[in-house]
Amino acid sequence: MIRFEDLIEKVRRNNPDADVELLRRACVFSAYEHKGQVRHSGEPYLVHPLEVADFLADMHLDSVAIAAGLLHDVVEDTLTPIERIEEVFGAEVAHVVAGVTKLGAIPFSSSEERQAESFRKMLLAMVDDIRVILVKLADRVHNMRTLGHLPEDRRRRVAQETKDIYAPIANRLGMSKVKNELEELAFRHLEPEAYEALRAKVEDRRRATEGLIEDLRQTIATKLTDAQVPIVQLEGRIKRLFSIHQKLKRQRISVDQVYDLVALRLITNSVKDCYAALGIIHHTWSPVPGRIKDFIAMPRPNGYQSLHTSVVSERGFAFEVQIRTAEMHQVAEEGIAAHWKYKEGRIGADRDEQYFLWLRQMLEWQQEVRDPQEFMQSLKVDLYPEEVYSFTPRGEVKALPRGATIVDFAYTIHTDVGHQCVGGRVNGKMVPLRTPLANGNIVEIVTGQGHSPSRDWLSFVVTSRARNRIRHFINGEEKKRATEVGRKLLEREARRYSIRLKAALTEDAVGRLAGELGSQKIEDVYAAIGYGKVAARQVLSKLAPESSLAEPPAQEASAPRARDARSGEERITVRGFDDLLVFRARCCNPIRGERIVGYITRGKGVSVHSLGCPNVVNLLYDPERRIDVAWDSQDDRSPYVVRLAIQVEDRRGMLADISTQIAGIDTNIKKVEATTSDDQRGRISVTVEVRDVEHLDQVVKSLRGVTGVLDVERAAR
Ligand code: MN
């Protein structure tokens, strides 16, 4: 078990400028916060952050990263708020700890390759400081090393996640040492039997070839020394079990058939020496054609440089040789961490960002391209990095364009989920439909049976999928609505002339009518009336003899009660959101629960006024155009927007009091504007969303109760 003093010693040795005091405080803080907690191994919890910090110190990272390593589990595992970390250790450490905590909160469950790829991209998209990933990887390495202490199911889950997500990320970052360790440990826990069997076989082979490898090593050493090529390091090793395992699976061969089980690694001083050594080796043994790779001239995208070759010894024994300089070796092992050796306190924010941009690009380019279309796809991601990655509660990743909302998300699941979507929970909290998603959000869609999209959604959705589905639905609905309105208008017109519509609508008449209007069904005729393409009167004239229409219309407006008694047949229902055919008049902006009256406009559908609206009096001059309307009982999803004009005494805190009062009764405020005048009076205009007239009354009443409020009035829209 590592001791804190050993850690400090190591940090000092690596970096004399390190902020040891910061580390000391971080350790004490972490020890205090994790006090009493134990790991599954039974060890005190502090061992874990200490090991993580030690790993980061080995990577020669700066004090901020190491301090973050010591504190990385404090926010997640104890109830310490991140603000406290910021207070005690400053913004930089807090930023890294917050980043690590955020990554830890993401559920990963799918092992589908496509999902894993989105997930890795999302993870990297969420990170704005490379140290977050480095701490996370260090954390993962230690957790994997101690994985044996966990119960079986959790062990499998963590190992799978490591294999699918974290090892590939380490690989992308060129950190082969970390990648290798993670892969080996994941393999051991995911396929314990295969691992053991392979280990035993490879061990046999190793024993059998030990002498041979030593001979080869000696031969190379002698030849290079003779040619005056300096050797920094030369070692023979058996390849890693996981990579052998993959090879066996890929090529369907047995361990004995793996011809390059053994690899020799030669580290020299310079590039020139690398090529010289390669020449000497090829001169000594026969190279296997097609196995020579020059990653010095053409480095891998993650920065890896080395010469690779496979040769066959005089005794028919094949082995691989890797040749590189010490510097290349360090990059090969540590990858980005090698580039990332921080000089204390000298990280320019700009350089940091630029480097990160470059890093992201590099990661994108590195995607293995399987076909041209996929290549275009990956380029697109490059050109438009504006994507957000969020999750379903089951951990499925959804990649959406930035700005995508709950509604966009709902439509990616299923058209019906989109249509019936009434709200969403983001990370467990209810949010409005128009809420834009952020990376890493866990999104749960709340649906309501029978709910349907509204035109309003078109103003905030960003995906074409959602847009098309909503449009399609609304057009269908509008047609239905137009049909309904048209039929009622025709019925009403017929009644005025005492024409029995049912009798008049013979099959013949309908066929003629429809034909004239270029359609086939009576529904289309109704819709045409509803859309205002043709007047009800005009249609009626084609159904009844001219003479019956010449008579003065019955005075039905004088007896509205009688008509009411004929049931709501002729009524048109009004919803919260205006549609094209039935809309709430701007002058009085009626809301649910108010008494209302409809007025047939010329060509624009039915306008709905509140009964108390002054304009209604004028409308009654033309009583034929009046029509009964009622609130649609099905519709309870849309709030009504109402503006209130409030007169107040001009005092400090007035605006805050009013906002608090409104929010206090669970009412959404859309807009607030305040003006003051010379007479110590202020005017505040508040736009609120209410469910119905009762709700509105409640708001008005509670506002009147605020000290200093002189008057509250409902204003026109
Ligand atoms: Mn941890």
Side-chain angles (χ1 to χ4, degrees), residues 511-525:
R512 202 161 19 89
L513 247 181
E516 267 180 58
L517 289 164
S519 54
Q520 297 186 337
K521 292 178 297 186
I522 186 67
E523 278 72 27
D524 295 336
V525 176

Side-chain angles (χ1 to χ4, degrees), residues 60-114:
H60 294 233
L61 294 187
D62 67 343
S63 314
V64 167
I66 299 170
L70 286 167
L71 298 165
H72 80 274
D73 274 332
V74 161
V75 176
E76 200 185 322
D77 289 354
T78 72
L79 290 172
T80 314
I82 191 72
E83 291 77 18
R84 178 96 180 103
I85 305 273
E86 186 167 352
E87 228 172 80
V88 181
F89 300 101
E92 222 182 330
V93 173
H95 187 74
V96 177
V97 172
V100 177
T101 308
K102 214 162 70 181
L103 293 190
I106 293 172
F108 176 79
S109 58
S110 170
S111 60
E112 200 191 314
E113 180 52 29
R114 195 175 48 82

Side-chain angles (χ1 to χ4, degrees), residues 324-338:
R324 54 179 90 135
T325 66
E327 207 188 329
M328 291 171 191
H329 182 58
Q330 196 183 24
V331 172
E333 296 268 286
E334 299 174 19
I336 193 144

Side-chain angles (χ1 to χ4, degrees), residues 39 45 48-49 52 72-73 77 100 136 139-140 143:
R39 298 266 294 173
Y45 198 91
H48 172 61
V52 170
H72 80 274
D73 274 332
D77 289 354
V100 177
K136 188 71 201 169
D139 174 48
R140 186 47 62 118
N143 284 339

